[in-house]
Amino acid sequence: MKFFVDTADVDEIRALNELGLLDGVTTNPSLILKSGRDIMEVTKEICSIVDGPVSAEVTATDYEGMMSEAAVLAEIADNICIKLPLTLDGLRACKALTSAGHMTNVTLCFSANQALLAAKAGATFISPFIGRLDDMAIDGMEVISEIRKIYDNYGFTTQILAASIRTVNHVKDAALIGADVATVPPSTLKALVKHPLTDKGLEAFLADWAKTGQKIS
Ligand code: E4P
């Protein structure tokens, strides 16, 4: 499973990238707002830190507007992935951009049928939003399972990018189902390493090691 980080915070992105944990980045208009930075400037900086796909989202809602914004975003760097909303215009733009050789990420997906349309439009990534479905008492992970089954039935190559991840169990469950990618907030990504028995075991090993009086050198 590939890990993308879901943030426009360059300090977080740099730190995670140095750990060797990052395969890409996703941003959205809300994350750009949170960063307090100019979209072009911050996206360029993110693209210079990470080698993998960096999703930058269009904000136009009509096909022509999306295509013109996509042309501007695509100029930022070679690893830009154009993020488009799951609307009829978004799907049309997805088809055109994919055909022109761009990476595309169709976002705001909440059903298997929407994901089927995105695959037919040639999307590189489909982003089903798990947490926002769970918030409405709909099982977000079930939608990931349905999409996996449908894509496998027909051999679609669109990658399932599990999004709106809120917990470490979301990451585990998406991996068990076979989602290709998880885009995860920095705090949740770092929380994947945590286990109390790891901390307790390390503490005991270090205490015993101190008693040996030895050094590895
Ligand atoms: C995905 O690309 C989105 O940026 C993101 O995962 C949305 O997550 P949220 O529901 O926590 O805002």
Side-chain angles (χ1 to χ4, degrees):
M1 173 182 250
K2 285 179 255 184
F3 282 157
F4 291 178
V5 66
D6 198 27
T7 186
D9 180 328
V10 290
D11 292 334
E12 293 276 22
I13 293 168
R14 201 169 274 114
L16 288 163
N17 194 53
E18 278 167 10
L19 292 174
L21 285 178
L22 278 198
D23 299 299
V25 176
T26 52
T27 66
N28 64 37
S30 304
L31 293 171
I32 297 293
L33 172 69
K34 198 170 163 194
S35 77
R37 296 187 56 189
D38 172 78
I39 183 171
M40 299 299 288
E41 179 203 279
V42 73
T43 308
K44 195 176 173 72
E45 188 172 346
I46 295 169
C47 288
S48 73
I49 300 169
V50 177
D51 290 334
V54 174
S55 288
E57 189 161 343
V58 300
T59 56
T61 54
D62 63 301
Y63 170 76
E64 284 78 16
M66 287 179 194
M67 292 301 288
S68 109
E69 288 185 0
V72 174
L73 294 172
E75 279 299 305
I76 295 175
D78 288 344
N79 54 336
I80 280 287
C81 174
I82 307 294
K83 205 173 181 190
L84 303 147
L86 215 158
T87 60
L88 290 176
D89 285 60
L91 292 170
R92 183 179 167 201
C94 175
K95 182 86 188 169
L97 290 165
T98 303
S99 304
H102 295 290
M103 287 187 285
T104 49
N105 174 359
V106 177
T107 189
L108 292 168
C109 171
F110 295 94
S111 77
N113 277 337
Q114 289 181 319
L116 178 55
L117 289 175
K120 288 188 72 69
T124 314
F125 301 101
I126 179 68
S127 290
F129 278 35
I130 298 167
R132 294 192 196 186
L133 282 166
D134 285 358
D135 290 345
M136 294 185 66
I138 297 167
D139 186 357
M141 213 50 73
E142 182 57 28
V143 174
I144 302 281
S145 287
E146 290 173 353
I147 298 170
R148 180 74 281 154
K149 174 89 176 113
I150 290 170
Y151 281 11
D152 290 348
N153 281 349
Y154 295 98
F156 285 121
T157 54
T158 297
Q159 296 177 54
I160 302 173
L161 198 175
S164 188
I165 281 184
R166 306 267 167 82
T167 68
V168 289
N169 280 340
H170 276 160
V171 177
K172 181 186 72 176
D173 292 341
L176 284 169
I177 290 165
D180 302 282
V181 192
T183 189
V184 189
S187 57
T188 312
L189 200 44
K190 285 182 269 185
L192 292 175
V193 79
K194 291 198 183 305
H195 198 288
L197 290 179
T198 303
D199 296 340
K200 198 176 159 193
L202 184 58
E203 203 179 305
F205 285 154
L206 292 180
D208 286 345
W209 181 245
K211 288 178 207 158
T212 69
Q214 299 180 39
K215 273 203 173 101
I216 300 173
S217 56

